[in-house]
């Protein structure tokens, strides 16, 4: 009987459900590893030159801890110790000296306390069959003392990586002065530059399967050592990754503790940083240009004609395939991993002959793909994205219209900014260059939302995208 069938039969017993979920989350990487194709390639053949410099992990001072305590979010969930963040925030003078001694002792010994490595897992339902455990994302909730320590370590690691330019410039996730919209704009500008040269291009949108959960601790530590994390810093991160435990909580029901032998904890501070270091060498293994936001990956290549593109793209894509196998990562080959062909209006796409494969898996072709929340289309006219936005924003207009008679102006403005304006402006650096005919649809909805809810309120119109793009280039390039 499969785990999913067990869930259906024991659904009336919540205690058995949480144990089944916890067991699934703890062993999903091991199961995927058994199903994955094997390769003789070694991960270190892709790493390049080793960083000769080593990181010195300096001690933490009192002011650093006090600042982190002041920045604690009192709405955050509690960890297994059940200590709410507001209590820590109310008494920084009491906690700071104690935490300073504990953290610095950990750094000196290269030891991460076991109590800080216990995660309370909250399953977050995504979509699909609720009895399928693969449709739940495990979010780890760690103690507030652990979160403070992780933030301080993360700042030191980032400072070291930035000093030696370790992290690839094509990584846009979880870094200072980077966000999803920068990745969207950078990809869009690459497409436009190729079209202006009358080239054709293919973009592979790669969807990793359980990416954060399947990271090998052994490979991650070896990569950290390669990039310069040695000595006490290496010992501390090794201790951070090993001996981790978790339990799953649903309502008032708790599962038994399970050891975590794979992955970086989702919901932690260090987890995303460690993951982007793990995949840091991906953009360097082939001629494909890469855009990364954590595990959201787009890989592109251009050529003068479709015949050359097909040959070159297949060769380069299979280099990525071997890298994935060597690094123990799995891909959703069906439905989620797709490729898109983009070309000028004068060319026709060879639908029947053009094909892309990764190993023995043929990749599906698509005309639109949702990347970082934005629908890219093969004509780059953004019609699909704007039609989707119009549908969502029209629903928001309906909500505002219904509540307008019951709320004051301040509350209506809050609803407008949070539900309408935030959605309207997200990704504007990409879709903002659409034709005026389509942009006008959004302006009509914007005027409707304001006129039916906020009288005598002057809206800020959709900004000129060319100016925004120029500002981005001067700031972040």
């Amino acid at each position: 009987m499969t785990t999913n069938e067990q869930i259906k039969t024991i659904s009336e017993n919540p205690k058995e459900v949480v144990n089944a979920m916890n067991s699934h989350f703890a062993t999903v990487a091991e199961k995927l590893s058994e199903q994955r194709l094997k390769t003789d390639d070694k991960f270190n053949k892709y790493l390049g030159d080793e960083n000769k410099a080593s990181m010195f992990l300096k001690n933490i001072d009192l002011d650093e801890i006090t600042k982190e305590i002041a920045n604690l979010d009192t709405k955050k969930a509690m960890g297994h110790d059940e200590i709410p963040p507001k209590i820590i925030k109310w008494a920084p003078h009491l906690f700071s000296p104690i935490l300073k001694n504990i953290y610095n002792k950990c750094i000196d010994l290269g030891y991460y306390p076991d109590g800080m490595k216990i995660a309370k897992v909250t399953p977050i339902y995504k979509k699909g069959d609720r009895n399928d455990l693969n449709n739940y994302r495990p979010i780890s909730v760690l103690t507030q003392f652990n979160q403070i320590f992780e933030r301080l370590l993360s700042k030191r690691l980032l400072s070291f990586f930035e000093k030696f330019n370790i992290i690839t410039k094509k990584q846009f996730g979880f870094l200072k002065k980077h966000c999803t919209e920068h990745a969207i704009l950078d990809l869009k500008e690459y497409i436009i530059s190729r079209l202006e040269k009358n080239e054709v291009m293919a973009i592979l949108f790669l969807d990793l399967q359980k990416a954060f959960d399947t990271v090998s601790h052994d490979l991650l530590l070896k990569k950290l050592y390669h990039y310069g994390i040695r000595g006490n810093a290496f010992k501390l991160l090794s201790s951070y990754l090993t001996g981790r435990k978790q339990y799953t909580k649903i309502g008032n029901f708790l599962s038994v503790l399970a050891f975590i032998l794979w992955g970086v904890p989702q919901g932690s501070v260090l987890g995303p940083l460690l993951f982007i270091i793990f995949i840091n060498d991906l953009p360097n293994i082939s001629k494909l240009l890469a855009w990364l936001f954590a595990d959201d990956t787009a890989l592109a290549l251009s050529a003068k004609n479709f015949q050359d593109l097909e040959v070159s793209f297949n060769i380069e894509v299979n280099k990525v395939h071997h890298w994935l196998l060597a690094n123990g990562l799995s891909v959703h080959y069906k439905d989620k991993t797709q490729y898109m062909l983009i070309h000028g209006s004068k060319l026709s796409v060879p639908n029947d002959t053009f094909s892309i494969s990764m190993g023995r898996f043929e990749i599906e072709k698509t005309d639109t793909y949702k990347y970082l929340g934005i629908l890219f289309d093969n004509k780059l006219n953004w019609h699909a994205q704007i039609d989707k936005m119009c549908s969502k924003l029209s629903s928001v207009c309906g909500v505002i219209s219904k509540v307008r008679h019951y709320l004051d102006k301040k509350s209506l403005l809050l609803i407008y900014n949070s539900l309408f304006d935030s959605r309207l402006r997200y990704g504007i650096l990409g879709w903002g260059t659409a034709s005026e005919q389509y942009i006008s649809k959004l302006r009509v909805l914007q005027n409707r939302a304001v006129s039916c809810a906020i009288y005598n309120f002057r809206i800020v119109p959709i900004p000129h995208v060319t100016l925004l793009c120029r500002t981005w280039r001067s700031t972040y390039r």
Side-chain angles (χ1 to χ4, degrees):
M1 183 180 292
T2 65
T3 307
N4 295 333
E5 289 172 343
Q6 289 175 345
I7 288 295
K8 292 179 181 179
T9 59
I10 65 177
S11 58
E12 295 181 359
N13 189 332
K15 185 65 176 177
E16 293 185 31
V17 170
V18 293
N19 283 325
M21 277 195 161
N22 197 54
S23 175
H24 171 76
F25 295 146
T27 59
V28 64
E30 184 178 352
K31 293 175 182 176
L32 286 174
S33 177
E34 294 172 356
Q35 300 170 6
R36 193 182 305 115
L37 296 174
K38 306 303 178 184
T39 180
D40 294 329
D41 286 349
K42 302 299 181 182
F43 77 97
N44 51 8
K45 70 177 275 190
Y46 303 103
L47 283 177
D49 296 333
E50 184 178 80
N51 182 18
K52 299 302 182 182
S54 297
M55 179 183 180
F56 172 73
L57 194 58
K58 67 176 183 178
N59 280 351
I60 297 166
D61 60 46
L62 206 61
D63 289 340
E64 288 182 279
I65 299 175
T66 303
K67 288 178 182 177
E68 291 300 333
I69 291 177
N71 292 330
L72 283 177
D73 186 354
T74 56
K75 296 180 181 179
K76 288 287 186 180
M78 295 180 290
H80 74 93
D81 58 3
E82 299 296 326
I83 298 177
K86 63 173 64 176
I87 290 181
I88 304 172
K89 199 167 184 176
W90 284 343
H93 59 284
L94 176 64
F95 288 102
S96 294
I98 299 173
L99 292 177
K100 174 178 175 288
N101 292 333
I102 293 173
Y103 295 160
N104 286 332
K105 194 69 174 178
C106 291
I107 291 174
D108 293 339
L109 297 175
Y111 172 77
Y112 208 91
D114 291 339
M116 291 186 185
K117 294 189 285 188
I118 299 175
K120 178 176 69 175
V121 174
T122 303
I124 303 297
Y125 170 71
K126 296 184 288 186
K127 60 181 179 180
D129 184 4
R130 288 185 176 271
N131 291 317
D132 187 349
L133 296 181
N134 292 311
N135 292 331
Y136 290 84
R137 177 181 288 111
I139 301 298
S140 300
V141 181
L142 298 153
T143 67
Q144 298 300 322
F145 299 129
N146 170 79
Q147 296 280 24
I148 295 170
F149 195 22
E150 284 196 29
R151 287 194 190 97
L152 295 168
L153 292 177
S154 179
K155 289 179 179 179
R156 283 159 169 73
L157 288 169
L158 270 175
S159 177
F160 177 79
F161 293 143
E162 289 172 357
K163 180 179 179 181
F164 294 96
N165 296 315
I166 301 296
I167 300 177
T168 173
K169 293 182 179 179
K170 288 301 181 179
Q171 176 61 255
F172 295 87
F174 305 102
L175 299 173
K176 294 178 181 179
K177 298 182 180 181
H178 288 79
C179 68
T180 54
E181 292 190 86
H182 298 152
I184 293 166
L185 174 61
D186 205 51
L187 177 55
K188 184 196 78 169
E189 290 198 334
Y190 165 77
I191 296 172
I192 292 174
S193 68
R194 298 301 96 188
L195 291 176
E196 288 175 347
K197 294 183 178 181
N198 295 319
E199 293 183 350
V200 295
M201 73 201 75
I203 303 176
L204 176 69
F205 295 99
L206 200 64
D207 189 89
L208 299 180
Q209 192 174 7
K210 304 292 182 183
F212 277 61
D213 301 325
T214 55
V215 170
S216 165
H217 291 172
D218 180 54
L219 296 189
L220 174 59
L221 288 170
K222 288 178 180 178
K223 288 191 176 188
L224 287 169
Y225 189 91
H226 176 88
Y227 291 129
I229 308 303
R230 306 182 184 102
N232 271 12
F234 181 84
K235 288 174 61 179
L236 184 64
L237 288 177
S238 178
S239 178
Y240 171 84
L241 289 170
T242 55
R244 302 195 70 87
K245 299 177 184 178
Q246 71 173 38
Y247 65 91
T248 299
K249 180 178 182 181
I250 302 177
N252 294 322
F253 295 93
L254 307 178
S255 72
V256 296
L257 280 172
F259 277 97
I260 306 302
L261 305 178
W262 299 72
V264 292
Q266 295 194 49
S268 66
V269 178
L270 275 176
L273 176 59
L274 294 176
F275 180 80
I276 66 176
I277 288 298
F278 188 75
I279 64 168
N280 188 60
D281 53 320
L282 174 57
N284 304 323
I285 64 170
S286 72
K287 295 178 181 178
L288 298 174
L289 291 179
W291 289 264
L292 310 174
F293 193 93
D295 60 330
D296 290 305
T297 305
L299 302 165
L301 188 69
S302 64
K304 293 296 182 181
N305 55 66
F306 282 112
Q307 290 76 20
D308 293 343
L309 179 63
E310 182 178 13
V311 173
S312 301
F313 200 60
N314 271 290
I315 292 172
E316 301 306 321
V317 163
N318 276 281
K319 291 179 182 178
V320 174
H321 176 65
H322 288 294
W323 179 89
L324 291 167
L325 294 179
N327 284 272
L329 296 175
S330 302
V331 174
H332 283 290
Y333 289 105
K334 294 183 179 180
D335 301 326
K336 294 184 178 181
T337 293
Q338 299 175 324
Y339 76 94
M340 182 189 299
L341 295 178
I342 300 178
H343 59 92
S345 58
K346 296 180 180 180
L347 295 175
S348 59
V349 182
N351 291 322
D352 298 330
T353 59
F354 200 99
S355 65
I356 300 295
S357 299
M358 291 186 73
R360 58 185 175 87
F361 300 97
E362 186 169 349
I363 306 301
E364 180 184 350
K365 178 178 171 291
T366 184
D367 292 333
T368 60
Y369 192 91
K370 187 177 182 181
Y371 180 64
L372 299 177
I374 297 295
L375 279 173
F376 280 80
D377 60 83
N378 62 343
K379 296 180 181 178
L380 208 66
N381 56 24
W382 306 105
H383 290 180
Q385 169 64 19
I386 293 179
D387 285 341
K388 177 188 171 185
M389 291 176 63
C390 286
S391 176
K392 289 189 174 182
L393 294 177
S394 181
S395 299
V396 175
C397 286
V399 171
I400 295 175
S401 179
K402 289 179 181 178
V403 302
R404 60 185 292 201
H405 302 295
Y406 306 98
L407 299 175
D408 57 22
K409 181 178 177 180
K410 184 177 180 180
S411 300
L412 290 170
L413 180 58
L414 179 63
I415 292 174
Y416 170 80
N417 286 329
S418 58
L419 297 183
F420 192 98
D421 194 67
S422 60
R423 292 180 177 178
L424 176 67
R425 294 175 184 275
Y426 176 71
I428 194 172
L429 294 175
W431 59 259
T433 52
S435 64
E436 179 61 29
Q437 177 185 357
Y438 265 75
I439 293 292
S440 63
K441 293 182 179 182
L442 296 173
R443 289 202 180 97
V444 169
L445 286 171
Q446 188 183 35
N447 290 329
R448 177 183 160 195
V450 174
S451 63
C452 74
I454 311 168
Y455 303 104
N456 300 322
F457 173 69
R458 183 180 178 184
I459 62 173
V460 179
I462 298 173
H464 196 276
V465 175
T466 305
L467 178 61
L468 285 176
C469 294
R470 191 182 301 124
T471 303
W472 176 80
R473 291 191 199 97
S474 63
T475 306
Y476 298 107
R477 283 193 165 183

